[in-house]
């Protein structure tokens, strides 16, 4: 039985007791990798990455040192057991969030925060990099003295921290007020709120910032009123309950709310107007409800460490315990959307597919005679001249009948296998990505090969003007069941590598084109999906040529093929290596836009008709915070005593105070190293 004490409760809030010393020492030695003078030590990487798991293996060393510095009291770059134990005691303190923030800024460990330390940490945050803080303003002078020589104690620093985010927002307003008339644009207003005051915004408020002001300019009183309102939402709830009594669904008018608010001087009429305007965006009745207030109020859950841990546990539970029926329902949902998306993609590019098929079926041996088509454009022109515009869509109906389940199977199986190999951090290795894509391509062939051969025979039927009319039913009768799977081996040879190449390239293309919040716009989805088709389509063209030759109807004077290898050998002997790349441009021009449209529609449908099955949303489908310690890793059984709240306490600094911890980019690291080297050379 573990010697670690369990949670007690004070005023309904859990309080952790310290872990047993020997048990804590055992955990420390498990992760400590440095031995010096008979003592064991943790490096910043040991503590931040291996033990806490709040950064990845490729994290910047400057970030690691900064985060580990809150534990490393001696600032020697190593964490001793005494320091490890002392930090565990800090995490058990009721003011752990403030203590952790203080130690983050107290970089020299002397128990005070100087102006230089404050500026050093703040200047490296994501917020400051986007909207610079005013170092020469009155805020810094009032706290650190006009000569900036005053050092802040812990208690004084907590007051600075409480006011910091709002002061940063006020400075940002002044900077964006270019006309110096007390107004900023709606877009600047939204940018400031999302950058500096994001921790005070619920998803609903964040999405409706521009709608709230009607796209018009925003005055400073309005800006101040909204910020104060968001900070006073607990008071707003109290006023509502006073008016509503025991009816939690009561609808309260503005007059009723104002009368009750007169007893509370902190809520102004302007703030009440903003409150009712926000509620009207939810339900335009001119009244407010408790449900609407909760959609506006900053989430209480997740503002304190133990709440964040509990929320994370609830969030992970459904993913770990999803039943078979729920997973089956999710696959069925994906299958339906994949079918719709596939139909849209196939219709958009079908004329290109027809041109590609006719070019690939064209023989260049001397016994055939003059070539019917010189190139893709010539083929396109002749089809319209001899068969009319609808000739470009010969065989479209069976294509749509087949492409819907074909793309649905491919997309569903790829997503299913990909989910199985994706870890809790949303990461998947490249071989697993290729395996998922390959499985999708393999499964689709079993269903789509019969429809593929029917489509091809209908596409080339127009080349022969004489003879009976060719229909899909006639083709099926002529081939029989076994004949419908003619060329299946070549289909496997084409579709498995295609999908194994396509889906990983698409996934990485999405990440590359995502914005700084990890979100993919619709154009970025289309571009990523279209570009990914180029290498996939071109590299498997030889297999596609062989498949086409095996599946078209044999004609008099044309070479016949007994199988996959026989076809490849005869094409090489009679037509040369270039024949394997016939129709490659047409195939690329068809596959790229087809899969571009298909994947774009598929992901847009998942966003528009989103159903939560307890699994994962498509990558890039929602605005996410940049990967940081805000994304809690899975619970670690070695997190005992106060360390049960360690990760959540780090994350709480940003969530409660709006303090985005420093994030370093490779370019900034390189620039810093270059400056350091130049300075060393100069000296």
């Amino acid at each position: 039985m573990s010697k670690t004490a369990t949670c007690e409760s004070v005023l309904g809030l859990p309080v952790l007791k310290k872990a047993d010393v020997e048990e804590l020492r055992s955990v420390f030695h498990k992760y400590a990798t440095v031995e010096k003078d008979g003592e064991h030590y943790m490096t910043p990487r040991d503590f931040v990455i291996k033990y806490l798991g709040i950064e990845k293996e490729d994290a910047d060393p400057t970030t690691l040192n900064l985060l580990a510095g809150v534990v490393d009291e001696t600032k020697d770059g190593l964490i001793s057991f005494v320091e490890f134990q002392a930090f565990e005691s800090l995490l058990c303190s009721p003011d752990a969030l403030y203590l952790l923030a203080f130690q983050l800024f107290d970089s020299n460990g002397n128990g005070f925060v100087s102006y230089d330390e404050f500026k050093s940490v703040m200047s490296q945050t994501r917020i400051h990099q986007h909207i610079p803080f005013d170092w020469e303003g009155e805020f810094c002078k009032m706290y650190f003295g006009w000569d900036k020589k005053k050092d802040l104690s812990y208690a004084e620093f907590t007051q600075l921290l409480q006011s910091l985010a709002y002061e940063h927002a006020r400075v940002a307003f002044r900077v964006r007020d270019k006309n110096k008339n007390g107004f900023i644009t709606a877009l600047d207003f939204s940018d400031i709120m999302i950058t500096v005051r994001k921790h005070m915004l619920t998803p609903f408020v964040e999405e409706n910032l521009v709608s709230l002001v009607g796209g018009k300019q925003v005055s400073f009183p309005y800006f101040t009123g909204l910020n104060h309102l968001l900070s006073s939402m607990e008071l707003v709830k109290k006023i509502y309950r006073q008016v509503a009594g025991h009816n939690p669904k009561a609808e309260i008018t503005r007059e009723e709310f104002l009368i009750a608010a007169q007893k509370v001087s902190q809520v102004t009429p302007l703030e009440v107007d903003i409150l009712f305007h926000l509620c009207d965006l939810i339900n335009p009745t001119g009244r407010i409800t408790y449900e609407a207030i909760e959609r506006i109020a900053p989430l209480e859950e997740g503002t304190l460490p133990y709440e964040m841990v509990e929320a994370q546990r609830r969030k992970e539970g459904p993913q770990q315990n999803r039943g078979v029926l729920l997973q089956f329902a999710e696959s069925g949902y994906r299958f339906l959307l994949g079918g719709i998306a596939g139909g849209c993609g196939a219709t958009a590019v079908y004329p290109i597919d027809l041109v590609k098929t006719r070019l690939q079926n064209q023989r260049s041996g001397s016994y055939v005679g003059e070539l019917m088509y010189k190139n893709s454009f010539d083929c396109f022109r002749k089809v319209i001249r001899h068969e009319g515009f609808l000739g470009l869509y010969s065989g479209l109906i069976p294509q749509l009948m087949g492409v819907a389940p074909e793309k649905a199977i491919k997309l569903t199986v790829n997503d299913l296998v990909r989910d199985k190999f994706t870890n809790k951090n949303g990461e998947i290795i490249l071989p697993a990505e290729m395996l998922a894509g390959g499985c999708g391509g393999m499964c689709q062939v079993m269903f789509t090969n019969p429809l593929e051969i029917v489509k091809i025979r209908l596409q080339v039927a127009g080349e022969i003007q004489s003879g009976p009319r060719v229909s899909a039913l006639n083709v099926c009768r002529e081939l029989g069941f076994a004949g419908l799977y003619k060329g299946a081996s070549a289909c496997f040879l084409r579709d498995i590598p295609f999908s194994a190449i396509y889906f990983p390239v698409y996934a990485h293309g999405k990440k590359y084109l995502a914005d700084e919040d990890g979100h993919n716009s619709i154009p970025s989805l289309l571009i990523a999906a279209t570009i990914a088709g180029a290498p996939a389509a071109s590299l498997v063209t030889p297999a596609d040529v062989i498949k086409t030759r095996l599946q078209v109807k044999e004609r008099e004077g044309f070479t016949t093929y007994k199988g996959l290898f026989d076809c490849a050998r005869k094409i090489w002997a009679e037509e040369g290596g270039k024949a394997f790349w016939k129709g490659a441009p047409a195939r690329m021009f068809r596959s790229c836009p087809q899969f571009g449209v298909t994947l774009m529609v598929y992901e847009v449908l998942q966003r528009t008709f989103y159903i939560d099955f307890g699994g994962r949303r498509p990558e890039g489908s929602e605005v996410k915070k940049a990967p940081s310690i805000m994304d809690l890793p899975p619970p670690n059984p070695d997190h005992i005593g106060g360390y049960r709240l360690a990760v959540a306490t780090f994350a709480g600094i940003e969530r409660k105070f709006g303090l985005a911890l420093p994030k370093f980019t490779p370019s900034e690291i390189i620039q810093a190293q270059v400056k350091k080297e130049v300075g060393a050379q100069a000296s």
Side-chain angles (χ1 to χ4, degrees), residues 55-124:
E55 284 288 350
K56 298 180 180 179
E57 285 293 338
D58 57 352
D60 175 67
T62 309
T63 303
L64 293 181
N65 292 332
L66 183 65
L67 297 177
V70 300
V71 187
D72 180 14
E73 296 180 2
T74 60
K75 309 302 177 185
D76 60 356
L78 294 174
I79 299 171
S80 66
F81 174 70
V82 173
E83 292 170 327
F84 184 75
Q85 185 181 25
F87 189 67
E88 193 250 346
S89 298
L90 178 151
L91 293 169
C92 292
S93 303
D95 57 344
L97 280 172
Y98 285 98
L99 286 169
L100 181 59
F102 178 75
Q103 293 193 186
L104 180 70
F105 281 85
D106 180 18
S107 57
N108 62 12
N110 68 347
F112 291 89
V113 174
S114 67
Y115 169 77
D116 290 335
E117 288 175 321
F118 172 70
K119 182 178 180 180
S120 175
V121 175
M122 272 296 295
S123 63
Q124 298 174 90

Side-chain angles (χ1 to χ4, degrees), residues 55-200:
E55 284 288 350
K56 298 180 180 179
E57 285 293 338
D58 57 352
D60 175 67
T62 309
T63 303
L64 293 181
N65 292 332
L66 183 65
L67 297 177
V70 300
V71 187
D72 180 14
E73 296 180 2
T74 60
K75 309 302 177 185
D76 60 356
L78 294 174
I79 299 171
S80 66
F81 174 70
V82 173
E83 292 170 327
F84 184 75
Q85 185 181 25
F87 189 67
E88 193 250 346
S89 298
L90 178 151
L91 293 169
C92 292
S93 303
D95 57 344
L97 280 172
Y98 285 98
L99 286 169
L100 181 59
F102 178 75
Q103 293 193 186
L104 180 70
F105 281 85
D106 180 18
S107 57
N108 62 12
N110 68 347
F112 291 89
V113 174
S114 67
Y115 169 77
D116 290 335
E117 288 175 321
F118 172 70
K119 182 178 180 180
S120 175
V121 175
M122 272 296 295
S123 63
Q124 298 174 90
T125 62
R126 288 185 290 114
I127 293 177
H128 171 77
Q129 291 168 1
H130 186 63
I131 302 179
F133 190 74
D134 183 10
W135 305 115
E136 302 302 324
E138 289 190 4
F139 181 83
C140 289
K141 293 177 181 178
M142 295 301 289
Y143 275 99
F144 294 99
W146 288 77
D147 59 357
K148 299 174 185 173
K149 299 297 184 183
K150 181 182 185 300
D151 294 340
L152 299 184
S153 66
Y154 167 66
E156 292 171 326
F157 175 80
T158 60
Q159 199 59 44
L160 175 147
L161 191 61
Q162 190 67 26
S163 308
L164 180 60
Y166 178 71
E167 174 63 19
H168 200 160
R170 190 187 67 80
V171 169
F173 186 99
R174 190 177 64 212
V175 172
R176 299 296 176 90
D177 180 14
K178 295 181 174 57
N179 296 325
K180 306 304 177 186
N181 61 357
F183 287 89
I184 59 175
T185 66
L187 292 179
D188 282 336
F189 164 70
S190 176
D191 187 40
I192 292 172
M193 293 298 297
I194 292 175
T195 302
V196 182
R197 302 286 284 170
K198 187 177 181 67
H199 62 294
M200 298 299 294

Side-chain angles (χ1 to χ4, degrees), residues 93 107 238 253 257 285 327 355 357 408 479 487 503 520 573 612:
S93 303
S107 57
K238 181 179 179 180
T253 65
F257 190 89
T285 61
Q327 296 182 53
V355 170
T357 300
L479 290 172
F503 285 108
N520 282 104
D612 186 4

Side-chain angles (χ1 to χ4, degrees), residues 394-421:
S394 298
L396 175 62
I397 299 302
Q399 169 75 341
L400 291 179
M401 293 173 58
V403 81
E406 171 193 345
K407 294 298 183 289
I409 290 172
K410 177 181 289 189
L411 294 171
T412 302
V413 173
N414 173 71
D415 285 349
L416 179 64
V417 178
R418 191 180 181 90
D419 286 348
K420 298 299 182 183
F421 285 98

Side-chain angles (χ1 to χ4, degrees), residues 269-320:
L270 175 57
E271 292 169 20
V272 173
D273 288 341
I274 297 173
L275 172 65
F276 273 77
H277 192 177
L278 278 167
C279 292
D280 279 344
L281 293 177
I282 299 173
N283 189 14
T285 61
R287 299 169 179 264
I288 63 172
T289 62
Y290 193 79
E291 181 181 359
I293 292 175
E294 285 200 317
R295 291 188 65 184
I296 298 169
L299 299 177
E300 292 182 40
E301 182 183 84
T303 58
L304 296 177
Y306 54 82
E307 293 169 339
M308 296 175 69
V309 170
E310 179 62 19
Q312 182 75 357
R313 185 191 65 78
R314 290 198 301 269
K315 180 180 178 181
E316 292 182 349
Q319 292 184 354
Q320 294 173 348

